[in-house]
Amino acid sequence: MADGSRNSMSKQTPAWILVVMPSGADLIFVALLGALVFGPLSVRLLGDAGIGWHIRTGQQILATRSIPPVDLFSSTMTGHPWFTWEWLYDVVVGRLEATFGLNGVVWLTAVVIAAVFAWTFRLLIARGTNLLVALALVLLAVSGSMIHFLARPHVVSWLFTLAWFSILDSSERDGYDGRGGEGRRWIRALPLLMLVWVNVHGGFLVGFVLLGIFLFAALWTWFKTDDNRIEEMRLKIAAGKRIRNLTGVGLLCVAASLVNPYGGKLDEHIYRYLSNGFLMDHIDEFQSPNFHRIAPKCFLLLLLFTIAVVAIRGRELRMSQGLTTLFAVYAGLYASRSIPISSLLLVMVVGPLVPALFAGGFSQRMAAIEVGMRGHLWPILALVVTLAIAANGGRVSSRVGMDAHFDPQRMPVDAVNYLEKNEVVGPVFSPDFWGGYLIYRLYPKLRVVVDDRHDLYGEEFFKSYLKTVRGERGWQEFLLTHPSSCLLLPKDGALANLVRLSKGWKQIYADDVAVAFVREPVQP
């Protein structure tokens, strides 16, 4: 649909309707926000225990007004240098938890997730995607991304990735079309975005990958363009100007990425972490997707749709779009944690290539109205109302509307209650996937032996740890090397069964989720 047609149709709509009537993006935002804060999905958002140490880290930073240079939470890494590379996110969730409890943390996560997919829908419509196609693609992206609907800083990287691609893509189209559009102006904001992104999550590296893709595409255009014809010469001049702009912006982004508590050492630390083959092979979220599960199946459908669209209309792909597609496919197949970002990038690339599908007068009119709506009254109301409910302890009048909590079927909630009540002493050994929850509940009274900060503990530590939790030969070596006063283990795990049969440990608690042991007193 032509922009002129859309503008004329939106001008025919009364201004008050454009403010009061919710757009499709508004409805997506409100629906996702409501489902994530009020329904059972609010508990799912707290399905990863790592948010526990993020919260306590942020509160420690707020209390001391400094970023901890060494580990705070474990008995095994006390005094060991620790890269608190997501400190800015930690501060935000630490403040929210202190003010609103876990409802505040879930609220923030839900707002970011809802904003990501509502904005994706809006961008697709603005780029000419048919409304029904845009809706279907966003639903596929949401379904695939649910595998990582978790209260963790990676959801903020989804938002930054979407902004990054949108700005680079818009600036490329405006640059080659000879227009001075918003994309060319917004590209100057990338260094400022990087300044925040690098202090929120390690996903800032995706920004540099996308920047490199668009710079390579500009270089390709410049080298492959013949300047013997006037039109070709104009294109080459535009490509050269874009190369200079992207190079300048890229250098500023590099400088901005160094504005973090660790400077250039952060890049080195992340590289060592991500290039460690053992850790990548044994951390669940870095494993390739299991396509027997629903969320990866939805991502697979999106992949198949992408392949079909590229096969039919691949000649219309710009070099940058083709490379972005290849990167998204590789990232999504390499690690399940990359599925959300891969889904967003694939949707943004293929959506505008199928504008004519299900084309019709109704769809065109709805798309024109969608683009013209700029009030966003309903999302604003939803934000205010849900935050007010969180501030009221989750209550709506006398009813409980929000009740964010850790799932007692996944986390050892009752077992930790028992440890607290009976003042069991630490350190406490538990599986790494429970460590963050123990930090949230027990710090600073007790320290853990291990948690899921894998970059802190390192390869050799986890080799010994895995031998223990799997109950392999020599499983006791880790417990001797890293002494603990209490073991909190999955009830039916291999290690729990071995400890029951070994000497020196006494069972003090058991339920359907966890079993706790303490050391037996040494007989004189």
Side-chain angles (χ1 to χ4, degrees):
M1 183 193 305
D3 290 340
S5 175
R6 284 183 173 176
N7 291 334
S8 63
M9 294 180 70
S10 61
K11 287 179 181 178
Q12 296 173 6
T13 307
W16 68 271
I17 290 182
L18 296 178
V19 174
V20 175
M21 182 178 176
S23 66
D26 294 343
L27 293 176
I28 290 172
F29 180 90
V30 173
L32 277 175
L33 180 62
L36 292 172
V37 300
F38 294 125
L41 286 178
S42 65
V43 178
R44 180 185 175 88
L45 292 181
L46 295 173
D48 188 290
I51 187 61
W53 63 259
H54 281 293
I55 291 171
R56 294 301 179 228
T57 300
Q59 292 171 348
Q60 183 71 15
I61 293 173
L62 290 168
T64 62
R65 298 186 181 275
S66 63
I67 297 173
V70 296
D71 173 50
L72 300 173
F73 306 120
S74 76
S75 61
T76 51
M77 291 290 157
T78 301
H80 191 280
W82 175 34
F83 282 76
T84 318
W85 40 322
E86 295 154 336
W87 69 272
L88 187 55
Y89 172 85
D90 296 350
V91 166
V92 173
V93 295
R95 175 60 70 189
L96 284 172
E97 197 276 340
T99 306
F100 306 113
L102 290 174
N103 284 335
V105 178
V106 165
W107 177 84
L108 174 67
T109 307
V111 167
V112 174
I113 292 175
V116 165
F117 293 103
W119 190 20
T120 300
F121 180 81
R122 179 91 176 178
L123 289 172
L124 286 173
I125 298 298
R127 281 163 166 72
T129 306
N130 177 274
L131 186 141
L132 295 177
V133 174
L135 181 60
L137 288 175
V138 169
L139 289 176
L140 267 181
V142 169
S143 301
S145 302
M146 285 186 69
I147 191 173
H148 276 286
F149 274 20
L150 298 168
R152 278 175 40 184
H154 68 288
V155 299
V156 184
S157 274
W158 303 354
L159 187 62
F160 277 102
T161 298
L162 185 60
W164 211 268
F165 176 82
S166 175
I167 291 172
L168 288 170
D169 184 62
S170 296
S171 67
E172 183 177 77
R173 288 186 291 108
D174 292 346
Y176 290 142
D177 291 345
R179 299 178 296 177
E182 291 185 5
R184 296 182 68 182
R185 293 192 293 270
W186 273 103
I187 198 170
R188 301 169 187 171
L190 293 184
L192 294 177
L193 292 177
M194 179 58 69
L195 187 63
V196 179
W197 197 356
V198 72
N199 290 291
V200 170
H201 186 245
F204 72 90
L205 296 176
V206 175
F208 285 111
V209 171
L210 292 176
L211 193 58
I213 285 173
F214 279 85
L215 179 57
F216 179 85
L219 288 167
W220 179 268
T221 301
W222 190 85
F223 279 113
K224 297 294 289 185
T225 302
D226 186 0
D227 56 2
N228 291 327
R229 297 179 353 185
I230 293 179
E231 289 298 324
E232 295 287 315
M233 184 180 299
R234 289 177 178 174
L235 183 60
K236 189 159 189 172
I237 291 173
K241 184 176 181 180
R242 180 159 176 79
I243 291 169
R244 292 191 294 273
N245 287 340
L246 288 177
T247 301
V249 168
L251 291 174
L252 290 175
C253 286
V254 170
S257 72
L258 299 176
V259 184
N260 66 79
Y262 312 101
K265 292 182 179 180
L266 177 60
D267 298 308
E268 180 184 355
H269 177 77
I270 295 176
Y271 171 77
R272 288 183 177 179
Y273 175 46
L274 296 180
S275 62
N276 187 301
F278 177 83
L279 293 179
M280 296 301 102
D281 289 341
H282 290 84
I283 299 175
D284 288 343
E285 63 185 18
F286 286 106
Q287 304 301 301
S288 297
N290 180 357
F291 290 108
H292 292 279
R293 297 178 179 176
I294 294 178
K297 282 182 180 178
C298 293
F299 176 64
L300 181 60
L301 286 176
L302 182 57
L303 282 179
L304 295 175
F305 182 78
T306 299
I307 292 171
V309 171
V310 171
I312 296 172
R313 307 191 65 173
R315 292 184 179 180
E316 300 177 31
L317 279 178
R318 301 193 306 274
M319 173 63 72
S320 59
Q321 294 175 316
L323 292 175
T324 299
T325 301
L326 290 176
F327 167 68
V329 171
Y330 171 79
L333 293 178
Y334 177 79
S336 61
R337 67 173 292 160
S338 301
I339 285 180
I341 283 177
S342 296
S343 298
L344 291 170
L345 293 176
L346 291 177
V347 162
M348 290 298 297
V349 170
V350 303
L353 294 177
V354 284
L357 193 61
F358 306 123
F362 173 76
S363 180
Q364 290 179 347
R365 289 193 298 272
M366 290 301 295
I369 294 174
E370 176 75 23
V371 172
M373 290 180 177
R374 301 183 182 276
H376 308 302
L377 174 64
W378 293 98
I380 294 172
L381 286 175
L383 282 173
V384 173
V385 169
T386 51
L387 184 59
I389 293 173
N392 193 39
R395 292 189 171 276
V396 182
S397 185
S398 60
R399 288 187 170 185
V400 176
M402 296 175 64
D403 182 24
H405 59 274
F406 287 97
D407 186 355
Q409 300 301 315
R410 291 176 57 90
M411 302 293 170
V413 176
D414 294 331
V416 172
N417 290 339
Y418 178 88
L419 298 184
E420 282 190 313
K421 181 179 179 180
N422 290 273
E423 299 182 349
V424 174
V425 298
V428 180
F429 173 86
S430 70
D432 60 329
F433 52 82
W434 281 353
Y437 175 73
L438 297 185
I439 291 171
Y440 175 73
R441 289 290 307 276
L442 301 176
Y443 179 81
K445 294 180 180 179
L446 299 181
R447 293 179 183 267
V448 298
V449 173
V450 61
D451 57 87
D452 64 352
R453 293 172 294 162
H454 303 101
D455 60 311
L456 169 66
Y457 293 95
E459 177 181 344
E460 293 305 317
F461 182 96
F462 270 99
K463 283 181 178 179
S464 178
Y465 159 80
L466 288 175
K467 182 186 295 185
T468 297
V469 295
R470 292 171 178 173
E472 298 175 358
R473 179 175 296 181
W475 63 271
Q476 292 177 318
E477 294 178 4
F478 181 89
L479 297 178
L480 294 174
T481 307
H482 307 287
S484 56
S485 300
C486 176
L487 306 180
L488 185 60
L489 308 172
K491 181 182 178 183
D492 298 321
L495 182 56
N497 292 327
L498 287 172
V499 173
R500 287 190 184 98
L501 299 175
S502 64
K503 296 180 179 180
W505 293 98
K506 175 185 177 182
Q507 180 175 315
I508 60 171
Y509 178 85
D511 58 27
D512 292 337
V513 176
V515 57
F517 302 89
V518 294
R519 289 191 180 276
E520 290 185 334
V522 178
Q523 297 297 329

